[in-house]
Amino acid sequence: MSKRKKIIILASMVALLVLTGCLNYFLNRPSVAAANADSKVTYSDYFASSRADRDSSRSEAVMYYEAIIANEATSAAAKANAESSLASLIANMNTEQRLETLIRALGFSDCLVTVGNENINVIVKSDAMTDQEVAQVLDVVLTETGKTIEYVRVKAIDL
């Protein structure tokens, strides 16, 4: 292939990349009219969008780990590390679901739990939580996870 053809192909690819970026920006940009019409965020919006964001990032991580595990060129150590990370991620996801169910059973209408390697964050839909309610949430979290209180953060939100 001649040098001129290579330059034309490379320039075309760069132009397509720029065009794709511009289209992505303009098609995914929120409209100003829609933003001004409904600027109040509701509880369900907050909790639903937070769950969707969490689930999306977790799905990407699961696919990433599964790709590492499935790749034949991956070393045994990298596969073992990916398998361990995937198992930990899945365990955290199961713990989050279980805790959210148990906290809703305490009488809260909605909550969001994120379990990390060390910390657990609980966000509860409530104007203000009483000390007794905080103690109930902490009791559920500490009992289910075996963590100590310094690794658990409970927050009530009123949007």
Side-chain angles (χ1 to χ4, degrees):
M1 194 181 315
S2 71
K3 186 175 182 179
R4 184 171 183 219
K5 286 184 180 179
K6 289 180 183 177
I7 292 173
I8 291 172
I9 291 172
L10 184 60
S12 299
M13 293 176 81
V14 169
L16 286 174
L17 182 63
V18 169
L19 177 65
T20 304
C22 290
L23 284 174
N24 185 32
Y25 172 76
F26 288 113
L27 294 175
N28 291 323
R29 179 178 64 174
S31 68
V32 174
N36 290 336
D38 187 25
S39 62
K40 182 167 171 76
V41 176
T42 63
Y43 285 120
S44 60
D45 292 340
Y46 172 78
F47 287 103
S49 67
S50 294
R51 277 193 195 89
D53 291 345
R54 179 184 69 186
D55 293 344
S56 174
S57 65
R58 296 280 171 85
S59 294
E60 289 176 15
V62 167
M63 288 189 314
Y64 173 74
Y65 290 134
E66 287 175 344
I68 291 172
I69 294 167
N71 190 344
E72 294 177 10
T74 304
S75 69
K79 281 186 181 185
N81 188 21
E83 288 171 348
S84 172
S85 296
L86 180 59
S88 175
L89 180 64
I90 290 171
N92 287 348
M93 291 166 59
N94 291 334
T95 301
E96 288 169 351
Q97 288 178 335
R98 190 173 64 249
L99 288 173
E100 287 176 358
T101 301
L102 291 170
I103 292 169
R104 279 192 219 103
L106 293 174
F108 295 102
S109 59
D110 208 352
C111 69
L112 181 71
V113 177
T114 55
V115 176
N117 291 334
E118 291 185 17
N119 297 324
I120 299 172
N121 295 300
V122 179
I123 301 171
V124 178
K125 177 184 173 185
S126 177
D127 294 340
M129 293 178 71
T130 65
D131 290 342
Q132 182 180 355
E133 290 172 330
V134 172
Q136 289 175 331
V137 170
L138 283 172
D139 180 53
V140 167
V141 173
L142 299 177
T143 302
E144 289 296 314
T145 63
K147 295 277 188 179
T148 57
I149 197 166
E150 62 262 8
Y151 296 108
V152 180
R153 181 172 298 150
V154 177
K155 177 152 179 60
I157 61 167
D158 178 27
L159 298 176

